[in-house]
Amino acid sequence: MIANDCPLPPGSRVVAYFRDSGGEDQERSVEQQHREAQAYCARFHLVLVRVFGDEAKVGSTVVGRDGFDELMHFCRQLAPEGKPRDPTAPDGVLLWDMKRFARNHLDNAFFKGDLRRRGYTLIFLSDNIPEGDAGIIYEAMLEWKAQQDLADISKDVKRGLADLVGTRDADGNYLGLCPGRRPTGFQGEPYTLGIKRDGQPRVVQRLVPDPEIWDTCRRAWEMRLAGTSYTKIHGATRLFKSTGCYATFFRNRIYTGTLEYGGKEYPDFVPALVTQEEWEIVQQMRKPRAERRPRLDSSDYPLSGIAFCGLCTRPMKADSIPAREDGGDGYPRNRHRRYTCTGWKYYRDCTQHYVTAETVEAAVFQVVSEQILRPEHLFQVWQDAQPGEQERQELEQRIRRLKADSASIRQVIARLVDAVEKTGFSPTLAERLAEREAERALLDSQVSELRGRLQQTETTVPIEVLEEFCAKGQVILAQGAVDDVRDLLRAFIVRVEIEPRRGRLIYSFPTAGL
């Protein structure tokens, strides 16, 4: 049942957000929610300015919900906390129900509070939340119920999947029914497991050996049992795109025939590729965690995060050869820092292996110090980035045209309001009035955006500020800590593209530190 009252007066402007979780039973759910919202707006004479939506997105988290992110950005931009609201900011937000907004009670409470602090009225179309103190209690109960529903859904799904995995045939053997991604070496064979309530067959996935790569997988295990490195195994089998995937491959117990799923073990679940003894021998080849080389501290690499290979365009990884007391010839070896091309390291498809860190860092520091960190140069970079006089004139002309269009629509709105007052309310007049109000709101929003862009073109940077920035930058570059040097470089360097015996430095006007 749709809400039978409205907390906003007629003529109020609103935006809407709708979501569904996907699946056949929710096909076109967002579209249906949109239609109901339009009917609600027509009934209470609201102006629906904009609609945001997420199709086939779960409600257990707000991560990955682009429509939700756009809604929050739009509302926050027009009503920043502690500052006056933009005149074009809507008065309220239409939502279908508490579950569609967010099932997680922490997300639910946080984002509802955020919107309300900014002056937005939240309207849940199908929850019928009463006004006053009773509404607060009712809303809290709905939040709790949404959270409980999420927990119940999770339990039901886990129970259903565990029941599927544990299915056996008449002889007591596992059928090999396993949802999700198939392990390398296996393929999913369709298997009919009974009939659904609607009479349709229930088709699930059964894991069976993939005849095209089963022997290749066995060869990989034989090579590993013989002590062959991942790199050589990858060169001989090409089971994966990179060598980094083989560690997981050789840890998976599914190749002994045992499936580990949901904290339980299912022995003899699928045909075995190796014996249990062979699997344990391969596990013993893995170095204990304490003996592995510690993770590199990227703070020792000032170009970390902005260094890229100029040949394959992939990132250059901070890497090093550790110091050794004896390099094999009776002499010690110092630690060797370098930047390694990830295209060569993981995919072997780039001819550039690595570059010595000291060499490339010295070259970058020299260019930055002698060519970039100069006040007159940065000022020229700023001027080059600013729009010219012609573009400013075009912005002013567009603003004038939009303001003229807005004034014309305001006159139309005034005439429609007069007609309503003289002849009384009619659905046709209300619909036309809502359309004109939406057009006016859109034009006002465009004018506000263009004015902001025009104001940016009138901003200037005093040369004294640039002189101070360059002076501090030179000191940091010469004697600052690695963290400070990295922060300085990231303030204006976009990327450092490294090639054999040359490089390319891409930078812009400093975005921080001024």
Side-chain angles (χ1 to χ4, degrees), residues 24 193-203:
E24 296 179 358
L193 186 66
I195 303 297
K196 297 181 181 179
R197 293 181 180 180
D198 59 3
Q200 297 296 320
R202 183 189 181 193
V203 181

PDB file of all heavy atoms in Angstrom, residues 24 193-203:
ATOM      1  N   GLU A  24      14.745 -13.004 -11.463  1.00  0.00           N
ATOM      2  CA  GLU A  24      13.553 -13.035 -12.301  1.00  0.00           C
ATOM      3  C   GLU A  24      12.322 -12.480 -11.592  1.00  0.00           C
ATOM      4  O   GLU A  24      11.469 -11.853 -12.203  1.00  0.00           O
ATOM      5  CB  GLU A  24      13.277 -14.472 -12.753  1.00  0.00           C
ATOM      6  CG  GLU A  24      14.391 -15.041 -13.639  1.00  0.00           C
ATOM      7  CD  GLU A  24      14.096 -16.464 -14.046  1.00  0.00           C
ATOM      8  OE1 GLU A  24      13.057 -16.999 -13.599  1.00  0.00           O
ATOM      9  OE2 GLU A  24      14.893 -17.049 -14.803  1.00  0.00           O
ATOM     10  N   LEU A 193      18.059 -31.241 -10.869  1.00  0.00           N
ATOM     11  CA  LEU A 193      17.824 -31.687  -9.489  1.00  0.00           C
ATOM     12  C   LEU A 193      16.377 -31.372  -9.110  1.00  0.00           C
ATOM     13  O   LEU A 193      16.067 -30.361  -8.489  1.00  0.00           O
ATOM     14  CB  LEU A 193      18.792 -30.984  -8.533  1.00  0.00           C
ATOM     15  CG  LEU A 193      18.766 -31.434  -7.073  1.00  0.00           C
ATOM     16  CD1 LEU A 193      19.250 -32.879  -6.946  1.00  0.00           C
ATOM     17  CD2 LEU A 193      19.629 -30.510  -6.220  1.00  0.00           C
ATOM     18  N   GLY A 194      15.481 -32.225  -9.529  1.00  0.00           N
ATOM     19  CA  GLY A 194      14.083 -32.055  -9.167  1.00  0.00           C
ATOM     20  C   GLY A 194      13.374 -30.986  -9.986  1.00  0.00           C
ATOM     21  O   GLY A 194      13.867 -30.506 -11.018  1.00  0.00           O
ATOM     22  N   ILE A 195      12.209 -30.604  -9.466  1.00  0.00           N
ATOM     23  CA  ILE A 195      11.332 -29.650 -10.153  1.00  0.00           C
ATOM     24  C   ILE A 195      11.033 -28.478  -9.222  1.00  0.00           C
ATOM     25  O   ILE A 195      10.818 -28.656  -8.018  1.00  0.00           O
ATOM     26  CB  ILE A 195      10.007 -30.321 -10.582  1.00  0.00           C
ATOM     27  CG1 ILE A 195      10.297 -31.539 -11.471  1.00  0.00           C
ATOM     28  CG2 ILE A 195       9.120 -29.334 -11.322  1.00  0.00           C
ATOM     29  CD1 ILE A 195      10.982 -31.223 -12.780  1.00  0.00           C
ATOM     30  N   LYS A 196      11.017 -27.255  -9.778  1.00  0.00           N
ATOM     31  CA  LYS A 196      10.657 -26.088  -8.989  1.00  0.00           C
ATOM     32  C   LYS A 196       9.156 -26.061  -8.734  1.00  0.00           C
ATOM     33  O   LYS A 196       8.393 -26.833  -9.310  1.00  0.00           O
ATOM     34  CB  LYS A 196      11.067 -24.806  -9.732  1.00  0.00           C
ATOM     35  CG  LYS A 196      12.559 -24.656  -9.953  1.00  0.00           C
ATOM     36  CD  LYS A 196      12.827 -23.335 -10.680  1.00  0.00           C
ATOM     37  CE  LYS A 196      14.304 -23.153 -10.953  1.00  0.00           C
ATOM     38  NZ  LYS A 196      14.573 -21.876 -11.687  1.00  0.00           N
ATOM     39  N   ARG A 197       8.719 -25.129  -7.879  1.00  0.00           N
ATOM     40  CA  ARG A 197       7.294 -25.011  -7.570  1.00  0.00           C
ATOM     41  C   ARG A 197       6.464 -24.625  -8.787  1.00  0.00           C
ATOM     42  O   ARG A 197       5.285 -24.964  -8.874  1.00  0.00           O
ATOM     43  CB  ARG A 197       7.089 -23.979  -6.467  1.00  0.00           C
ATOM     44  CG  ARG A 197       7.649 -24.399  -5.112  1.00  0.00           C
ATOM     45  CD  ARG A 197       7.379 -23.343  -4.067  1.00  0.00           C
ATOM     46  NE  ARG A 197       7.900 -23.737  -2.763  1.00  0.00           N
ATOM     47  CZ  ARG A 197       7.803 -22.996  -1.662  1.00  0.00           C
ATOM     48  NH1 ARG A 197       7.221 -21.794  -1.725  1.00  0.00           N
ATOM     49  NH2 ARG A 197       8.288 -23.428  -0.512  1.00  0.00           N
ATOM     50  N   ASP A 198       7.109 -23.893  -9.717  1.00  0.00           N
ATOM     51  CA  ASP A 198       6.365 -23.482 -10.908  1.00  0.00           C
ATOM     52  C   ASP A 198       6.357 -24.554 -11.989  1.00  0.00           C
ATOM     53  O   ASP A 198       5.885 -24.318 -13.106  1.00  0.00           O
ATOM     54  CB  ASP A 198       6.945 -22.180 -11.478  1.00  0.00           C
ATOM     55  CG  ASP A 198       8.421 -22.316 -11.861  1.00  0.00           C
ATOM     56  OD1 ASP A 198       8.968 -23.428 -11.733  1.00  0.00           O
ATOM     57  OD2 ASP A 198       9.012 -21.301 -12.278  1.00  0.00           O
ATOM     58  N   GLY A 199       6.901 -25.738 -11.678  1.00  0.00           N
ATOM     59  CA  GLY A 199       6.889 -26.827 -12.644  1.00  0.00           C
ATOM     60  C   GLY A 199       8.106 -26.884 -13.541  1.00  0.00           C
ATOM     61  O   GLY A 199       8.260 -27.847 -14.305  1.00  0.00           O
ATOM     62  N   GLN A 200       8.981 -25.876 -13.462  1.00  0.00           N
ATOM     63  CA  GLN A 200      10.172 -25.857 -14.298  1.00  0.00           C
ATOM     64  C   GLN A 200      11.275 -26.721 -13.659  1.00  0.00           C
ATOM     65  O   GLN A 200      11.354 -26.831 -12.446  1.00  0.00           O
ATOM     66  CB  GLN A 200      10.674 -24.422 -14.464  1.00  0.00           C
ATOM     67  CG  GLN A 200       9.688 -23.507 -15.177  1.00  0.00           C
ATOM     68  CD  GLN A 200       9.444 -23.936 -16.609  1.00  0.00           C
ATOM     69  OE1 GLN A 200      10.378 -24.341 -17.309  1.00  0.00           O
ATOM     70  NE2 GLN A 200       8.193 -23.872 -17.042  1.00  0.00           N
ATOM     71  N   PRO A 201      12.113 -27.348 -14.481  1.00  0.00           N
ATOM     72  CA  PRO A 201      13.200 -28.172 -13.914  1.00  0.00           C
ATOM     73  C   PRO A 201      14.218 -27.291 -13.188  1.00  0.00           C
ATOM     74  O   PRO A 201      14.520 -26.169 -13.615  1.00  0.00           O
ATOM     75  CB  PRO A 201      13.823 -28.841 -15.141  1.00  0.00           C
ATOM     76  CG  PRO A 201      13.457 -27.963 -16.294  1.00  0.00           C
ATOM     77  CD  PRO A 201      12.104 -27.385 -15.957  1.00  0.00           C
ATOM     78  N   ARG A 202      14.756 -27.777 -12.098  1.00  0.00           N
ATOM     79  CA  ARG A 202      15.783 -27.075 -11.342  1.00  0.00           C
ATOM     80  C   ARG A 202      17.151 -27.564 -11.821  1.00  0.00           C
ATOM     81  O   ARG A 202      17.568 -28.664 -11.496  1.00  0.00           O
ATOM     82  CB  ARG A 202      15.627 -27.342  -9.847  1.00  0.00           C
ATOM     83  CG  ARG A 202      16.624 -26.575  -8.981  1.00  0.00           C
ATOM     84  CD  ARG A 202      16.564 -27.035  -7.549  1.00  0.00           C
ATOM     85  NE  ARG A 202      17.499 -26.303  -6.710  1.00  0.00           N
ATOM     86  CZ  ARG A 202      17.847 -26.661  -5.476  1.00  0.00           C
ATOM     87  NH1 ARG A 202      17.302 -27.759  -4.943  1.00  0.00           N
ATOM     88  NH2 ARG A 202      18.702 -25.939  -4.778  1.00  0.00           N
ATOM     89  N   VAL A 203      17.819 -26.731 -12.598  1.00  0.00           N
ATOM     90  CA  VAL A 203      19.098 -27.093 -13.189  1.00  0.00           C
ATOM     91  C   VAL A 203      20.219 -26.470 -12.368  1.00  0.00           C
ATOM     92  O   VAL A 203      20.232 -25.256 -12.140  1.00  0.00           O
ATOM     93  CB  VAL A 203      19.192 -26.630 -14.658  1.00  0.00           C
ATOM     94  CG1 VAL A 203      20.541 -27.036 -15.261  1.00  0.00           C
ATOM     95  CG2 VAL A 203      18.054 -27.227 -15.473  1.00  0.00           C
TER      96      VAL A 203
END
